[in-house]
Amino acid sequence: SSQAMSHAELYERLQNICDRVTVYRILDRLTDEGLIHRIALPDGTVKFALCESCEEGHHHHSHVHFNCKQCGTVS
């Protein structure tokens, strides 16, 4: 996705290919490997987005995320 997505959004898009716990584990692993990063929103929701220049164990992001209050997308 070109937009950041929450665990619930990813789980729904996967259409029961795997269970919720497996999705959490995969998200944790991809975060640890520097392939995705977590975005904590003001309402407590966590979304995940692709990393463009991160490395395993070291995330560095010098960009902002925009959270649309109408549609809920994060870009």
Side-chain angles (χ1 to χ4, degrees):
S1 174
S2 61
Q3 302 291 320
M5 297 177 70
S6 69
H7 170 271
E9 292 166 332
L10 288 164
Y11 180 71
E12 182 179 319
R13 189 173 284 191
L14 289 171
Q15 299 179 352
N16 296 323
I17 291 174
C18 55
D19 62 36
R20 290 179 179 271
V21 174
T22 301
V23 175
Y24 276 118
R25 288 180 183 151
I26 292 169
L27 291 171
D28 283 341
R29 182 173 180 176
L30 292 173
T31 301
D32 291 345
E33 292 179 0
L35 298 173
I36 63 173
H37 64 276
R38 298 174 194 269
I39 304 162
L41 302 179
D43 67 359
T45 303
V46 175
K47 293 206 174 192
F48 299 87
L50 290 173
C51 291
E52 296 183 21
S53 60
C54 297
E55 300 167 1
E56 187 170 342
H58 180 68
H59 292 277
H60 45 89
H61 305 282
S62 59
H63 61 272
V64 297
H65 296 101
F66 295 97
N67 182 21
C68 179
K69 291 182 178 182
Q70 288 182 336
C71 67
T73 61
V74 176
S75 57

